[in-house]
């Protein structure tokens, strides 16, 4: 039943939501009503549960329909009133991003913002610092995957493999040879890049969806190798990974006491190594943002965009597709490798379970949810997807259930992502004497 | 020799079940261009419904073939309902948007359904009864082939045939083929696209349900996670055979079943899960369109 | 039979139709002419429901069908043969024709229409079992028109039937368009870049220039007009 515009029709809404509740009751019936007793395999009946679920469905359906009706009437009003104005928009989140970017003192604003971020370890709890490190790592990962998927349109479902390679490179070199963080950072990145090139060569001529499943397979293969090989310590994982060195100082014993005397808000439980890692990953993320921004606006970046839109046209224009694809793939791998090294130093113990398909899904969701190809979008997406499960922690059991539902909901509500990426559009105003209007920012079509 | 025969038989059995799942993937992909990540969960739900139905109906006094058929009917009907609902909620609203949004939505749906079943029933493995009655004439060779295996092969073969008849000779099948080739032109011919798409999901889900029932009878245990792994492998099989091609899905599934079986038997069972993907990479390098994929020419 | 009132359509922010008015009486053959990009295909898309207009209305048989789905219009007897043939490449010729009769249930009449169509285009009978993608351009156009005819349309919308075809075949097709109109009374709205041929076969014509009708009248008058000759008929 679709909704008609106009007055709120009680009977219709009641009927529609009741239908939804009944349908849910039917659907969930066997699974909700009957509970298999694992001891004797008898069936217990759970009428209260089923009724509660049906009731919930009724309420949700009513709320959802109301929401959709409001959205539809808002759209219609907009269409009627502004039929000649351009449509669409970057989304509600865009206003302040664009405001910042357009502001006169934007560099100063951004600088202040970064300073604010840098101050976090000095007043926040260790838990918050930990979360922020994780969020920043995922921002780096998201930006890396964004180059591959968001900008170039190469669907990589096994991105976590490069992340794992970076982490394991550091872990193994540290475990077997005692090599330090700073040496392993480039090494981890290099190994990941090498693997990216290795995978890229045979695989990049495949069509989009075939590429997706092959990369998924690659991710799984890497994980299985990590689990089953003695060299990588298998499922036992590798522990005791050293944190980054800071001029040979032991931060916790030599530096922290001094800081604690000066900074009243700082938490005494904070592991200073984590603080160092925080700064490292923050610096890395800032560098990444700058690098990605420059890349996107370079010749290479435009070649990637062209790849995403129409490969055949690319070839006709003389763009070397293979080189463009390989570069995107390999660069994406590099970032994942870097992030992996930082991750290993943060958690000090890694094993293959941290690098499963779900991680690839998370990172991909960050890119798609945030808005493919859009840097602020990816950042926002990472924040949402990392911080959200933390908020949901209180629902523990239902955490993943809600997460899955939210993923679907977010896609249905905004398929283009939270902050859609922007493309320059030139609008010609046919007024006789005035010159052509300056370029306007228009949302990229999905 | 006996080992070889064993591996052959288990390969054929697994391959048959993969085929039932893979068909759903390939049909949906052929029609809407979507990788239905939640399809594996439909298979899993089919298995769970089958289990619950078998427990409930056997208490009510059903047994033997009657029980099997009723349980199958329940699983099929329910999975079809789930498949239909998932399409309406998670995919239909996203029709026409980028390729990736439906993918993320599908993955979200998959996560949701896994946890949904886990919470409602149990996170642990549950024992599944053997529902296929013993076939007397198999007694002399029962150490090589048992009734369940034979039933799986026959059921799969029968379903394949029925599906082929549907696709080739019925009006619905014609409309499905038309929509997969040119949806707008199909609309201009009077086809109701929504109905055709829903039908595709329903049919695919029904097939997956049978697969779920059969895997339960074969492995004698199920848990909420079986959909994920089987789904990925079945999808790999569909891609292997050329995504969008129905005979391709069956071929890919059988090839995968045999490859897994022989790899587990002769190499190592640890890497059994990796076989699917290694096989995929190898075959796609040689034939980028899959085994039965059309030549990869793109008309400009 | 068909009336378009004040159609405004947009592709994103670009206005493709800027207030289009057009009428087609029952039994007529109307030509819609114009240069590339004038909005001819857009007009047909508006009528057939593939891209509903943002403003304006479409009337068929006096009923408002604006924005109705293509499927429902086929049931009313309004059938489009889109640009570029668009036959189903992996379906056989026979199956393509069956798709044309998709909504019909009257089997004996369908068989009769099949014969009619095979008599119009004998080559199709010879190729009945071949898949559509293997046909030549001209044969595909014949198939596309036949497929539409299988729906027993009361009105046909033809989008550039001459595109990409050899002159001999084009003439054959245009003769058949006239034949269909005379034998079955099928109303035709013909969109064409080939103004010459279109005007020869049409009763009336409209000229579309960047989204607006700039000229209309009977075909003979337009063909004789100096300006039209220079602009569209090569002088």
């Amino acid at each position: 039943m679709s909704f008609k515009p106009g007055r709120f029709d009680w009977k219709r809404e009641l009927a529609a939501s009741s239908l939804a509740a009944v349908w849910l009751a039917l659907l969930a019936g066997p699974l909700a009503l009957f509970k298999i007793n694992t001891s004797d395999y008898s069936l217990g009946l759970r009428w209260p549960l089923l009724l509660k679920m049906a009731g919930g469905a009724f309420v949700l359906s009513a709320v959802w329909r109301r929401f959709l009706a409001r959205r539809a009437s808002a759209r219609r009003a907009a269409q009627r009133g502004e039929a000649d104005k351009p449509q669409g928009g970057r989304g509600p989140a865009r206003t302040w991003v664009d405001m910042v970017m357009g502001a006169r003192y934007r560099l100063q604003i951004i600088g202040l913002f970064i300073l604010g971020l840098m101050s976090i370890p000095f007043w926040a709890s260790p838990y918050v610092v930990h979360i922020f490190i994780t969020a920043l790592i995922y921002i780096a990962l998201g930006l890396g995957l964004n180059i591959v998927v968001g900008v170039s349109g190469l669907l990589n479902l096994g991105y976590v493999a490069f992340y794992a390679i970076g982490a394991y490179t550091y872990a193994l070199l540290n475990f077997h040879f005692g090599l330090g963080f700073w040496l392993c950072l480039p090494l981890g990145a290099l190994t990941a890049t090498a693997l990216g090139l290795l995978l890229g060569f045979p695989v990049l001529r495949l069509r989009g969806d075939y590429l997706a499943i092959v990369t998924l397979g690659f991710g799984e293969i890497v994980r299985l190798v990590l689990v089953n090989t003695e060299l990588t310590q298998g499922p036992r994982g590798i522990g005791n990974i050293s944190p980054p060195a800071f001029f040979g100082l032991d931060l916790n014993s030599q530096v922290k006491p001094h800081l604690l005397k000066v900074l009243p808000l700082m938490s005494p439980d904070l592991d200073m190594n984590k603080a160092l890692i925080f700064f490292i990953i923050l610096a890395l993320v800032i560098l990444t943002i700058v690098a990605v921004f420059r890349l996107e606006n370079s010749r290479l970046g435009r070649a990637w965009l062209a790849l995403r839109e129409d490969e055949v046209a690319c070839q006709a224009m003389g763009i070397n597709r293979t080189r463009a694809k390989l570069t995107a793939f390999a660069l994406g791998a590099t970032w994942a490798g870097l992030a992996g090294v930082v991750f290993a130093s943060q958690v000090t113990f890694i094993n293959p379970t941290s690098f499963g398909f779900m991680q690839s899904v998370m990172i991909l969701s960050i890119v798609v949810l945030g808005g493919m190809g859009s840097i602020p979008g990816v950042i926002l997406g990472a924040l949402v997807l990392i911080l959200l499960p933390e908020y949901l922690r209180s629902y523990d059991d239902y955490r993943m259930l809600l997460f899955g539902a939210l993923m679907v909901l977010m896609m249905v509500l905004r398929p283009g992502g939270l902050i859609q990426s922007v493309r320059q559009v030139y609008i010609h105003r046919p007024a006789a004497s005035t010159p052509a209007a300056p370029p306007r920012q228009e949302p990229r079509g999905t | 020799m006996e080992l070889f025969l064993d591996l052959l038989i288990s390969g054929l059995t697994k391959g048959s079940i993969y085929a039932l799942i893979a068909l759903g993937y390939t049909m949906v992909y052929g029609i809407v261009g979507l990788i239905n990540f939640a399809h594996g969960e439909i298979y899993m739900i089919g298995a769970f419904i089958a289990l619950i139905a078998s427990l409930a109906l056997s208490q009510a006094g059903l047994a033997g073939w009657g029980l099997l058929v009723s349980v199958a009917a329940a699983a099929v009907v329910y999975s079809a309902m789930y498949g239909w609902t998932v399409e309406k909620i998670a995919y239909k609203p996203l029709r026409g948007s980028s390729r990736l949004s439906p993918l993320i939505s599908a993955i979200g749906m998959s996560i949701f359904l896994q946890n949904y079943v886990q919470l409602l029933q149990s996170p642990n493995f549950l024992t599944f009864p053997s529902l296929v009655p013993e076939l007397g004439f198999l007694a002399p060779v029962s150490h090589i082939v048992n009734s369940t295996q034979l039933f799986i092969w026959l059921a799969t073969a029968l379903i394949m045939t029925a599906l082929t008849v549907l696709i080739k000779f019925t009006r619905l099948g014609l409309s499905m083929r038309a929509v997969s080739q040119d949806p707008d032109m199909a609309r201009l011919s009077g086809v109701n696209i929504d109905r055709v798409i829903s039908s595709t999901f329903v049919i695919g889900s029904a097939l997956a349900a049978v697969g779920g029932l059969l895997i339960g009878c074969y492995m004698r245990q199920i848990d909420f996670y079986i959909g994920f792994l089987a789904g990925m492998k079945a999808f790999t099989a569909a891609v292997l055979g050329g995504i969008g091609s129905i005979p391709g899905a069956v071929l890919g599934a059988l090839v995968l079943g045999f490859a897994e079986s022989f790899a587990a038997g002769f190499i190592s069972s640890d890497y059994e899960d990796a076989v699917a993907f290694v096989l995929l990479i190898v075959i796609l390098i040689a034939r980028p369109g899959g085994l039965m994929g059309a030549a990869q020419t793109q008309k400009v | 039979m068909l009336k378009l009132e004040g159609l405004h359509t947009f592709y994103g922010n670009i206005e493709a139709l800027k207030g289009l008015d057009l009428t087609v009486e029952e039994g007529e053959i109307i030509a819609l002419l114009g240069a590339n990009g004038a909005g001819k295909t857009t007009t047909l898309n508006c009528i057939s429901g593939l891209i509903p207009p943002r403003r304006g209305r479409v009337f068929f048989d006096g009923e408002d069908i604006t924005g109705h789905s293509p499927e429902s219009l086929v049931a009313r007897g309004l059938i489009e043969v889109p640009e570029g043939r668009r036959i189903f490449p992996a379906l056989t010729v026979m199956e393509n024709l069956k798709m044309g009769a998709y909504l019909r249930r009257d089997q004996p009449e369908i068989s009769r229409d099949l014969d009619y169509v095979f008599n119009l285009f004998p080559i199709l009978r010879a190729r009945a079992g071949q898949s559509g993608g293997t046909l030549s351009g001209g044969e595909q156009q014949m198939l596309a028109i036949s497929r539409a005819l299988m729906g027993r349309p009361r009105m046909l919308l033809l989008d550039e039937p001459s595109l990409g075809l050899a002159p001999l075949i084009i003439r054959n097709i245009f003769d058949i368009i006239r034949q269909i109109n005379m034998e079955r009374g099928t109303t035709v709205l013909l969109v064409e870049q080939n103004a010459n041929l279109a005007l020869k076969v049409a009763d009336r014509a409209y000229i579309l220039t960047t989204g607006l009708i700039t000229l209309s009248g009977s075909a003979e008058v337009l063909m004789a007009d100096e300006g039209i000759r220079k602009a569209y008929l090569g002088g």
Side-chain angles (χ1 to χ4, degrees), chain A residues 23 27 30, chain B residues 20 42-51 53 67-84 155 159 199 201-214:
Chain A
W23 182 249
L27 213 58
Chain B
L20 289 173
I42 304 285
Y43 157 79
M44 178 266 294
I45 287 178
F48 268 85
I49 300 280
L51 177 58
L67 180 63
L68 179 61
V69 169
S70 319
V71 166
V76 163
V77 165
Y78 265 94
S79 285
M81 283 164 65
Y82 272 95
W84 185 89
I159 291 177
S199 306
F201 272 88
V202 162
I203 295 175
S205 301
L207 294 173
V210 176
L213 165 64
L214 293 176

Side-chain angles (χ1 to χ4, degrees), chain A residues 316-400:
Chain A
M317 302 268 265
I319 298 177
N320 187 335
R321 289 182 306 166
T322 323
R323 197 172 341 147
K325 282 185 183 179
L326 264 179
T327 342
F329 220 69
L331 271 178
T334 315
W335 258 288
L338 287 170
V341 175
V342 177
F343 174 67
S345 72
Q346 177 204 15
V347 294
T348 68
F349 167 77
I350 59 170
N351 70 3
T353 51
S354 323
F355 304 110
F357 178 59
M358 268 313 292
Q359 304 307 112
S360 288
V361 168
M362 282 287 280
I363 307 172
L364 184 65
S365 306
I366 289 175
V367 173
V368 177
L369 221 91
M372 301 235 294
S374 122
I375 298 179
V378 169
I379 296 177
L380 187 63
L383 289 173
V384 167
L385 279 180
I386 298 304
L387 299 179
L388 204 64
E390 295 304 315
Y391 276 115
L392 295 179
R393 231 177 239 291
S394 46
Y395 298 98
D396 204 38
D397 276 342
Y398 299 90
R399 201 160 72 115
M400 288 314 284

Side-chain angles (χ1 to χ4, degrees), chain A residues 98-401:
Chain A
D98 283 341
M99 266 177 7
V100 168
M101 292 311 278
R104 188 101 72 82
Y105 299 104
R106 65 163 180 256
L107 277 173
Q108 287 85 329
I109 296 180
I110 293 179
L112 265 167
F113 182 65
I114 293 180
L115 276 174
L117 280 178
M118 280 169 62
S119 74
I120 289 182
F122 300 122
W123 51 264
S125 72
Y127 176 66
V128 170
V129 174
H130 176 86
I131 292 296
F132 262 94
I133 295 178
T134 309
L136 285 167
I137 291 180
Y138 272 91
I139 290 179
L141 284 169
L143 288 172
L145 186 62
N146 188 37
I147 295 177
V148 181
V149 174
V151 181
S152 311
L154 304 167
L155 189 51
N156 185 344
L157 288 180
Y159 195 60
V160 75
F162 303 123
Y163 185 48
I165 298 292
Y168 264 87
T169 306
Y170 179 37
L172 284 170
L173 288 176
N174 185 265
F175 181 72
H176 288 293
F177 306 116
L179 296 182
F181 175 86
W182 297 104
L183 184 58
C184 290
L185 194 62
L187 283 178
L190 225 73
T191 344
T193 313
L195 211 74
L197 286 169
L198 194 68
L199 176 66
F201 263 118
V203 140
L204 282 173
R205 63 200 182 113
L206 294 175
R207 227 178 62 195
D209 294 305
Y210 291 93
L211 179 66
I213 195 67
V214 165
T215 50
L216 188 151
F218 181 68
E220 279 299 293
I221 291 176
V222 165
R223 189 184 63 84
L224 284 168
V225 165
L226 288 176
V227 167
N228 288 310
T229 335
E230 258 317 297
L231 177 67
T232 58
Q233 303 286 312
R236 295 192 307 277
I238 303 179
N240 261 325
I241 304 175
S242 332
F246 188 74
F247 301 115
L249 294 171
D250 183 329
L251 289 170
N252 278 322
S253 55
Q254 293 176 287
V255 175
K256 189 153 85 160
H258 300 282
L259 286 176
L260 276 173
K261 279 192 230 147
V262 183
L263 300 165
L265 290 171
M266 190 166 126
S267 160
D269 298 318
L270 180 65
D271 182 350
M272 286 309 292
N273 291 310
K274 297 286 188 292
L276 177 62
I277 293 175
F278 176 82
F279 289 122
I280 293 175
I281 186 70
L282 183 61
L284 185 66
V285 167
I286 294 173
L287 280 169
T288 307
I289 294 176
V290 172
V292 171
F293 189 71
R294 300 296 298 276
L295 271 173
E296 273 186 6
N297 290 304
S298 71
R299 265 186 93 221
L300 185 60
R302 282 194 291 276
W304 287 339
L305 278 172
L307 256 189
R308 184 180 90 177
E309 301 293 323
D310 189 337
E311 259 198 59
V312 180
C314 259
Q315 201 171 16
M317 302 268 265
I319 298 177
N320 187 335
R321 289 182 306 166
T322 323
R323 197 172 341 147
K325 282 185 183 179
L326 264 179
T327 342
F329 220 69
L331 271 178
T334 315
W335 258 288
L338 287 170
V341 175
V342 177
F343 174 67
S345 72
Q346 177 204 15
V347 294
T348 68
F349 167 77
I350 59 170
N351 70 3
T353 51
S354 323
F355 304 110
F357 178 59
M358 268 313 292
Q359 304 307 112
S360 288
V361 168
M362 282 287 280
I363 307 172
L364 184 65
S365 306
I366 289 175
V367 173
V368 177
L369 221 91
M372 301 235 294
S374 122
I375 298 179
V378 169
I379 296 177
L380 187 63
L383 289 173
V384 167
L385 279 180
I386 298 304
L387 299 179
L388 204 64
E390 295 304 315
Y391 276 115
L392 295 179
R393 231 177 239 291
S394 46
Y395 298 98
D396 204 38
D397 276 342
Y398 299 90
R399 201 160 72 115
M400 288 314 284
L401 189 78

Side-chain angles (χ1 to χ4, degrees), chain B residues 28-81:
Chain B
V28 165
Y29 186 84
I31 262 208
V32 278
L34 163 77
I35 303 176
N36 183 5
F37 259 98
H39 189 61
E41 270 44 74
I42 304 285
Y43 157 79
M44 178 266 294
I45 287 178
F48 268 85
I49 300 280
L51 177 58
I52 294 179
S54 72
L55 289 173
L57 291 176
S58 59
Q59 270 180 22
L62 281 175
W65 289 104
L67 180 63
L68 179 61
V69 169
S70 319
V71 166
V76 163
V77 165
Y78 265 94
S79 285
M81 283 164 65

Side-chain angles (χ1 to χ4, degrees), chain B residues 4 15 43 63 88 110 125 130-131 165 177 192 252 255 284-285:
Chain B
F4 185 79
Y43 157 79
K88 288 277 175 276
S110 166
F125 273 98
S130 171
L131 291 173
V165 165
R177 281 185 290 148
N192 183 333
V255 166
L284 283 184
I285 290 178

Side-chain angles (χ1 to χ4, degrees), chain A residues 23 26-28 31 34-36 41 46 149 155 205 209-210 213 216-217 357 361 372 400-401 411 415, chain B residues 29 78 82 85 94 99-101 107-108 112 115-116 120-121 127 228 232 235 239 243 277 285 289 298:
Chain A
W23 182 249
L26 270 176
L27 213 58
L31 291 169
F34 299 105
K35 166 80 171 146
I36 303 176
Y41 281 84
R46 297 182 295 194
V149 174
L155 189 51
R205 63 200 182 113
D209 294 305
Y210 291 93
I213 195 67
L216 188 151
F357 178 59
V361 168
M372 301 235 294
M400 288 314 284
L401 189 78
M411 282 290 99
Chain B
Y29 186 84
Y78 265 94
Y82 272 95
T85 311
L94 293 169
R99 320 220 46 206
L100 286 186
S101 321
I107 295 178
F112 179 79
N115 284 276
Y116 164 77
L120 281 179
Q121 290 301 325
T127 315
F228 181 69
M232 260 213 283
F235 182 64
V239 174
I243 191 83
F277 301 111
I285 290 178
Q298 223 187 340

Side-chain angles (χ1 to χ4, degrees), chain C residues 25-168:
Chain C
E25 302 296 339
E26 189 156 1
E28 285 189 309
I29 301 183
I30 303 290
L32 183 59
L33 306 173
N36 231 342
K40 309 192 295 293
T41 302
T42 312
T43 311
L44 286 189
N45 282 337
C46 269
I47 302 174
S48 67
L50 279 177
I51 299 178
R54 199 182 290 180
R55 284 212 298 269
R57 292 197 294 172
V58 180
F59 293 93
F60 186 63
D61 271 352
E63 280 186 60
D64 189 342
I65 59 162
T66 321
H68 282 202
S69 66
E71 307 88 87
S72 62
L73 295 182
V74 172
R76 286 174 188 260
L78 181 60
I79 301 189
E80 178 180 347
V81 180
E83 194 179 8
R85 275 90 68 184
R86 301 283 286 276
I87 55 152
F88 299 108
L91 298 183
T92 63
V93 165
M94 198 55 149
E95 287 172 330
N96 267 280
L97 292 172
K98 282 209 190 119
M99 280 306 294
Y102 184 73
L103 289 179
R104 293 173 60 184
R105 301 289 185 179
D106 47 337
Q107 194 46 52
E109 292 299 313
I110 296 179
S111 307
R112 212 171 296 171
D113 282 337
L114 205 60
D115 278 331
Y116 179 74
V117 144
F118 280 148
N119 286 333
L120 277 181
F121 301 113
I123 188 84
L124 292 181
R125 185 179 272 141
R127 302 215 188 279
Q130 263 180 264
S131 58
T134 60
L135 265 54
S136 75
E139 290 163 352
Q140 284 187 355
Q141 187 62 279
M142 296 181 204
L143 179 58
I145 296 180
S146 307
R147 181 180 53 187
L149 287 176
M150 289 302 294
R152 279 255 177 108
R154 295 174 49 231
M155 176 160 182
L156 261 184
L157 304 172
L158 293 168
D159 197 347
E160 310 225 21
S162 73
L163 204 63
L165 298 184
L168 213 58

